[in-house]
């Protein structure tokens, strides 16, 4: 459930121009739409959720969007020189924290509704989440390094333009690195489901909201107390490859990247002004 919410939020920020504005301004609708696969709510609960998401969107526009705007502006300034691995790690952490804050804003009204759910509604949600995890596992196991490469190449091309052969090799290294960590990623997903199941059965507990909020942050931040050492090693390798990719950018590619970031920053500025 929480993974789908996070995906919707992040997808919106990967869009551009008027599509971003259209997607963002209807973000509360899309979260509600996707939640219908996981929550079997009565009319009162549905109304409560809709009001909560409306308020969450207003709060996000006022408090969180400016964070993304400042981060993009800062990144653009730093991109005038080749980034170090430390700078890449810094922006990874900074955007992750902004993403965590984004999700918490929208998850809060959902938690309030979940606390009112009965045992049958909870069972429905848990079954739906488990089915989603199973489908994602099948999809993940079926993907090859080439599949992952194609996805990463599409994203890289969108942001920096046509890739050189050495850059394609770096993208393949990223894809292979992801594939090597598949088992760890799957174990983390299963642990998240176990924690969610445990939390939902204790939704009347005073600390319920804090437990769910912490779990959502872990999902977005890709954090796990059990697998943190493996994750830290994976991220360090990822940042090193990304540094090589950044240093390989031509002047034309840098201009392309700056133009994309400028357009995104302008769109966010307009959204802050409710346009």
């Amino acid at each position: 459930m929480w993974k789908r919410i996070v995906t919707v939020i992040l997808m919106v920020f990967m869009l551009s121009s008027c599509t971003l504005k259209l997607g963002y301004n209807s973000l509360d609708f899309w979260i509600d739409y996707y939640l219908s696969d996981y929550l079997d709510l009565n009319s009162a609960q549905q109304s409560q959720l809709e009001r909560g998401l409306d308020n969450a969107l207003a709060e996000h526009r006022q408090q969180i969007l400016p964070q993304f705007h400042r981060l993009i502006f800062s990144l653009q300034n730093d991109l005038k020189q080749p980034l170090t691995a430390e700078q890449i790690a810094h922006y990874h952490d900074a955007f992750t924290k902004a993403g965590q804050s984004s999700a918490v804003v929208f998850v809060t009204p959902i938690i309030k509704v979940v606390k009112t759910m009965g045992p049958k509604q909870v069972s429905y949600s848990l079954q739906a989440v488990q089915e989603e995890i199973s489908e994602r596992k099948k999809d993940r196991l079926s993907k090859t390094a080439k599949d992952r490469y194609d996805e990463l190449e599409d994203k890289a091309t969108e942001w920096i333009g046509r890739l050189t052969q050495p850059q394609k090799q770096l993208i393949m290294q990223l894809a292979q690195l992801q594939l090597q960590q598949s088992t760890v990623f799957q174990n983390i997903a299963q642990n998240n489901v176990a924690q969610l199941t445990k939390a939902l059965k204790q939704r009347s507990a005073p600390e319920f909201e804090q437990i769910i909020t912490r779990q959502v942050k872990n999902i977005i931040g890709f954090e796990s107390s059990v697998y943190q050492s493996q994750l830290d090693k994976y991220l360090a390798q990822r940042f090193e490859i990304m540094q090589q990719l950044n240093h390989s950018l031509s002047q034309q590619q840098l201009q392309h990247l700056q133009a994309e970031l400028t357009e995104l920053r302008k769109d966010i500025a307009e959204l802050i002004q409710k346009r």
Side-chain angles (χ1 to χ4, degrees):
M1 184 194 312
W2 313 120
K3 187 67 174 179
R4 178 66 69 87
I5 299 167
V6 171
T7 300
V8 174
I9 295 171
L10 295 182
M11 279 177 61
V12 167
F13 285 102
M14 291 303 293
L15 301 174
S16 61
S17 196
C18 61
T19 309
L20 167 64
K21 287 176 270 190
L22 177 63
Y24 183 83
N25 287 323
S26 58
L27 187 55
D28 51 345
F29 166 81
W30 287 112
I31 292 177
D32 186 18
Y33 173 80
Y34 282 115
L35 279 175
S36 64
D37 290 340
Y38 304 97
L39 301 179
D40 183 22
L41 304 179
N42 59 40
S43 58
Q45 291 169 328
Q46 182 63 36
S47 296
Q48 179 185 349
L49 177 61
E50 291 173 2
R51 290 194 302 272
L53 290 175
D54 285 344
N55 293 334
L57 181 58
E59 179 183 348
H60 187 275
R61 188 190 304 272
Q62 182 180 21
Q63 298 185 10
I64 309 300
L65 279 186
Q67 296 181 28
F68 282 103
H69 190 275
R70 289 192 295 270
L71 279 173
I72 294 171
F73 183 77
S74 176
L75 174 60
Q76 287 187 279
N77 281 330
D78 284 341
L79 279 169
K80 294 175 182 178
Q81 299 292 331
L83 298 178
T84 65
E86 291 76 15
Q87 285 177 305
I88 293 173
H90 162 73
Y91 281 108
H92 169 85
D93 292 341
F95 277 103
T96 295
K97 286 183 172 61
Q100 288 173 323
S101 298
S102 290
V104 168
V105 168
F106 287 102
V107 165
T108 298
I110 300 170
I111 294 175
K112 295 183 184 302
V113 172
V114 169
K115 290 178 69 174
T116 71
M117 289 167 54
K120 289 185 178 180
Q121 290 175 307
V122 171
S123 296
Y124 175 92
S125 294
L126 289 174
Q127 181 178 351
V129 170
Q130 188 59 62
E131 290 174 357
E132 172 76 9
I133 292 295
S134 297
E135 287 299 316
R136 286 179 177 272
K137 180 179 180 180
K138 291 179 183 178
D139 181 61
R140 185 179 292 111
L141 292 176
S142 68
K143 286 187 176 181
T144 64
K146 179 63 167 57
D147 294 327
R148 295 173 185 274
Y149 167 83
D150 289 340
E151 295 173 356
L152 292 174
E153 182 188 30
D154 288 343
K155 292 178 182 178
T157 301
E158 178 182 353
W159 285 102
I160 66 175
R162 181 178 296 182
L163 303 175
T164 65
Q165 193 57 42
Q167 289 169 341
K168 291 181 179 181
Q169 292 174 355
L170 290 172
I171 296 295
M172 177 57 78
Q173 289 182 36
L174 282 173
Q176 292 171 335
L177 183 60
Q178 288 184 359
L179 194 63
Q180 292 168 7
Q181 299 298 318
S182 291
T183 300
V184 172
F185 297 160
Q186 185 58 43
N187 289 340
I188 292 174
Q190 290 293 346
N191 183 63
N192 284 332
V193 173
Q195 294 298 320
L196 177 62
T197 301
K198 180 180 178 181
L200 287 177
K201 292 179 178 179
Q202 301 174 342
R203 60 194 179 284
S204 60
E207 65 275 13
F208 176 72
E209 292 189 31
Q210 290 85 347
I211 293 173
I212 295 298
T213 298
R214 182 168 62 251
Q215 184 186 353
V216 170
K217 287 184 175 181
N218 286 343
I219 292 173
I220 298 179
F222 216 56
E223 299 168 353
S224 168
S225 58
V226 179
Y227 298 98
Q228 198 59 51
S229 60
Q230 292 100 312
L231 289 174
D232 289 342
K233 183 178 179 180
Y234 159 73
L235 288 174
Q237 293 174 303
R238 181 181 173 186
F239 296 154
E240 183 177 336
I241 296 173
M242 292 178 69
Q243 180 189 21
Q244 295 178 48
L245 182 60
N246 173 250
H247 285 213
S248 73
L249 297 182
S250 66
Q251 190 62 35
Q252 183 177 2
Q253 288 174 323
L254 282 169
Q255 290 174 352
H256 183 105
L257 176 57
Q258 288 283 14
E260 290 292 324
L261 291 172
T262 296
E263 190 67 25
L264 178 58
R265 182 164 52 83
K266 288 180 178 178
D267 288 339
I268 291 176
E270 290 189 10
L271 285 171
I272 293 173
Q273 300 300 321
K274 298 185 180 181
R275 292 161 57 189

